[in-house]
């Protein structure tokens, strides 16, 4: 098994040159684009996008996925706005040579039964998947806290109910821990048929604190071993959140990002998993 390492480079710095320098120092040749120059990917204009593309091409770095914010909005926000944003993300993905776009399944009002919103979520995710299929994209649903698909059974239900190869899953162990879920024990088998990549961060069950891979309760070692044994070939995308973890993103800084990278590569070496 060989995996490809990537990462949310905006966790390193808002500055692209600093992002690329740290990635190069860790021998990582891919990044997941969420934001750059403090501008979210959906808000990058054409000049910024062209500048970004030239710079990464000059550095030999490729984009593994677009870390979009699509679906990370309240369920009551009109869906037309999200679909327009998805079309823009599709344009960006096409220009940057990736088919993978991370998405979410909408924040549910606190204290309400998520099942009350199931039909509405499925309809919305179907609409997103239809656009993705038209544009040759694969949407990867992330199990974010407090969205409809924050637990493994609802994540799997969304993807199975939409029934489109344009909607698959990513796997975030730390987010599961923060929802009281044991990621490998409770989620892996349900989601493995849909997994196209994994986001790498860990967390402590007692406090929710985010920690480097293998240092929390996220069962990262067990999940990596299972991926190895299943013949997984795909991206592992570092999203350390070691300095700040918020509802709409996180930050680590250069040194903490490198610490997170070393924690992951140590695990991979210990499990005899090759990476590039």
């Amino acid at each position: 098994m060989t995996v490809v390492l990537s990462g949310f480079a905006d966790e390193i710095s808002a500055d692209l040159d600093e992002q690329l320098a740290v990635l190069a120092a860790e021998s990582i040749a891919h990044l997941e684009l969420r934001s750059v120059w403090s501008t979210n990917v959906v808000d990058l204009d054409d000049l910024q996008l062209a500048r970004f593309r030239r710079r990464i091409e000059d550095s030999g770095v490729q984009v593994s996925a677009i870390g979009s914010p699509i679906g990370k909005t309240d369920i009551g926000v009109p869906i037309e706005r999200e679909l327009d944003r998805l079309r823009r993300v599709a344009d960006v993905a096409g220009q940057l040579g990736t088919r993978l776009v991370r998405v979410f399944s909408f924040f549910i009002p606190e204290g309400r039964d998520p099942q009350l919103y199931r039909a509405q979520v499925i309809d919305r995710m179907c609409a997103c998947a239809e656009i993705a299929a038209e544009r040759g994209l694969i949407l990867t649903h992330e199990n974010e806290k407090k969205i409809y698909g924050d637990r493994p059974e609802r994540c799997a239900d969304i993807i199975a109910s939409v029934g489109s190869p344009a909607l698959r899953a990513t796997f975030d162990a730390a987010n599961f821990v923060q929802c009281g879920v044991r990621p490998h024990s409770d989620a892996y088998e349900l989601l493995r048929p849909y997994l196209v990549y994994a986001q790498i961060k860990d967390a402590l069950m007692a406090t929710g604190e985010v920690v480097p891979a293998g240092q929390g309760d996220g069962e990262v070692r067990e999940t990596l071993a299972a991926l190895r044994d299943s013949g997984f070939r795909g991206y592992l995308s570092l999203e350390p959140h070691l300095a700040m973890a918020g509802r709409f993103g996180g930050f680590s800084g250069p040194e903490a990002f490198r610490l997170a990278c070393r924690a992951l590569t140590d695990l991979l070496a210990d499990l005899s998993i090759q990476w590039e």
Side-chain angles (χ1 to χ4, degrees):
M1 169 182 165
T2 299
V3 296
V4 180
L5 296 195
S6 183
F8 287 76
D10 60 353
E11 292 248 347
I12 299 168
S13 170
D15 179 70
L16 181 58
D17 288 337
E18 189 169 14
Q19 293 178 15
L20 295 173
V22 171
L23 293 177
E26 297 301 319
S27 301
I28 297 177
H30 292 78
L31 63 79
E32 183 161 353
L33 177 59
R34 180 174 56 194
S35 69
V36 65
W37 305 305
S38 300
T39 303
N40 190 274
V41 61
V42 296
D43 298 316
L44 292 173
D45 62 33
D46 290 342
L47 288 176
Q48 289 174 311
L49 186 59
R51 178 185 168 201
F52 174 82
R53 181 177 178 179
R54 285 194 303 270
R55 186 69 185 88
I56 64 168
E57 286 177 348
D58 289 345
S59 299
V61 170
Q62 296 177 279
V63 173
S64 60
I66 304 298
S68 91
I70 304 303
K72 207 171 193 179
T73 56
D74 293 337
I75 190 71
V77 172
I79 186 58
E80 290 76 14
R81 174 179 177 271
E82 288 301 277
L83 298 181
D84 285 343
R85 282 160 34 109
L86 178 56
R87 293 183 184 98
R88 173 57 180 168
V89 167
D91 291 340
V92 172
Q95 292 188 50
L96 297 179
T98 183
R99 297 180 64 207
L100 299 179
V101 174
R102 178 195 65 168
V103 296
F104 304 89
S105 53
F106 304 95
F107 288 117
I108 302 303
E110 199 157 351
R112 301 280 287 174
D113 181 356
Q115 288 303 113
L116 296 173
Y117 300 91
R118 179 182 180 277
Q120 189 176 358
V121 168
I122 300 300
D123 285 348
R124 286 172 169 237
M125 299 308 288
C126 281
C128 290
E130 184 175 344
I131 291 173
E134 290 170 355
R135 302 293 291 271
L137 300 178
I138 298 173
L139 305 182
T140 62
H141 176 265
E142 179 183 340
N143 52 292
E144 173 70 21
K145 301 180 296 296
K146 298 185 179 179
I147 62 171
Y148 178 82
D150 59 355
R151 298 189 61 83
E153 61 274 12
R154 289 198 289 269
C155 294
D157 177 51
I158 291 167
I159 299 170
S161 297
V162 171
S164 169
L167 180 63
R168 302 286 92 180
T170 185
F171 191 94
D172 190 308
N175 287 354
F176 275 136
V177 169
Q178 291 170 343
C179 293
V181 172
R182 296 176 302 168
H184 183 73
S185 302
D186 301 336
Y188 176 79
E189 291 296 332
L190 269 176
L191 296 179
R192 177 64 185 95
Y194 309 118
L195 285 182
V196 293
Y197 82 103
Q199 292 171 210
I200 304 298
K201 63 178 183 284
D202 205 342
L204 302 176
M205 188 72 76
T207 63
E209 179 189 355
V210 180
V211 295
Q215 299 180 22
D217 298 304
E219 302 179 320
V220 177
R221 174 184 291 272
E222 292 86 345
T223 297
L224 290 174
L227 288 171
R228 176 200 62 199
D229 295 344
S230 72
F232 175 80
R233 295 182 64 86
Y235 295 108
L236 302 180
S237 186
L238 284 157
E239 190 188 18
H241 282 17
L242 292 179
M244 186 276 288
R247 189 174 190 181
F248 295 102
F251 186 74
S252 297
E255 292 308 313
F257 188 93
R258 296 184 71 171
L259 176 69
C261 182
R262 305 283 172 78
L264 173 59
T265 55
D266 285 349
L267 274 177
L268 295 177
D270 195 41
L271 293 166
S272 299
I273 298 173
Q274 296 183 336
W275 61 275
E276 59 186 33

